Amino acid sequence: MRLLLTTALCVVSLLGCNHDKPKPETKISSQPRAAETFGAMNTKPSLMVHQHVKGQNVYVECILSGFSFSTESGFLQIKVDGKPFKEMKQAAFVLSDLPKGSHTVTIELMKSKEESYQVRNTFTVEII
């Protein structure tokens, strides 16, 4: 009987605590967030590239600022040894099955097939 009474008292006290929850003290700001103002700054996009060679594949990660694939209509034009290789609409990708030897890879941010943002990054990889 004593155990039942103690359990009931604990349940009642726990249920009673749900009504006095503190309210958050944060204020809602009417200023746009950084992501919303990012595109509005009209800054020239920039491109930084990280790459890693594994076998005959080159794993590429592009870090873009001033550009977003979700809001812009542009793409990345990838050239290997000066020849068009791929067009990508994502910042991370794999250049697969490159032949053995040294290759120069150029990644350029394009507005359309004819118009470039004049933002590019060139690097050399060695496929063994």
Side-chain angles (χ1 to χ4, degrees):
M1 181 71 179
R2 191 175 212 173
L3 180 63
L4 181 62
L5 206 55
T6 305
T7 305
L9 184 60
C10 288
V11 170
V12 169
S13 64
L14 288 175
L15 291 175
C17 294
N18 285 333
H19 298 292
D20 296 328
K21 291 182 183 175
K23 293 183 180 179
E25 295 180 12
T26 58
K27 296 179 182 178
I28 297 175
S29 174
S30 62
Q31 294 183 2
R33 287 179 264 151
E36 296 169 347
T37 59
F38 196 65
M41 292 187 298
N42 293 327
T43 59
K44 182 178 177 181
S46 67
L47 170 66
M48 188 170 66
V49 177
H50 294 280
Q51 79 277 351
H52 175 74
V53 178
K54 187 173 182 181
Q56 288 183 279
N57 299 327
V58 180
Y59 296 84
V60 180
E61 179 185 17
C62 299
I63 295 119
L64 292 157
S65 62
F67 180 86
S68 171
F69 288 109
S70 62
T71 59
E72 308 286 339
S73 60
F75 60 93
L76 295 171
Q77 172 68 56
I78 293 91
K79 293 181 180 180
V80 177
D81 299 327
K83 298 174 187 169
F85 188 77
K86 283 185 179 181
E87 291 179 2
M88 302 299 295
K89 288 196 170 220
Q90 58 193 34
F93 51 89
V94 179
L95 305 176
S96 54
D97 299 324
L98 291 178
K100 290 183 179 184
S102 181
H103 300 283
T104 301
V105 179
T106 302
I107 300 173
E108 183 171 8
L109 184 58
M110 304 292 290
K111 291 181 185 178
S112 66
K113 293 242 185 219
E114 301 83 24
E115 190 176 6
S116 171
Y117 280 100
Q118 300 301 317
V119 175
R120 67 183 58 86
N121 191 306
T122 302
F123 57 92
T124 303
V125 293
E126 185 71 33
I127 306 297
I128 301 173

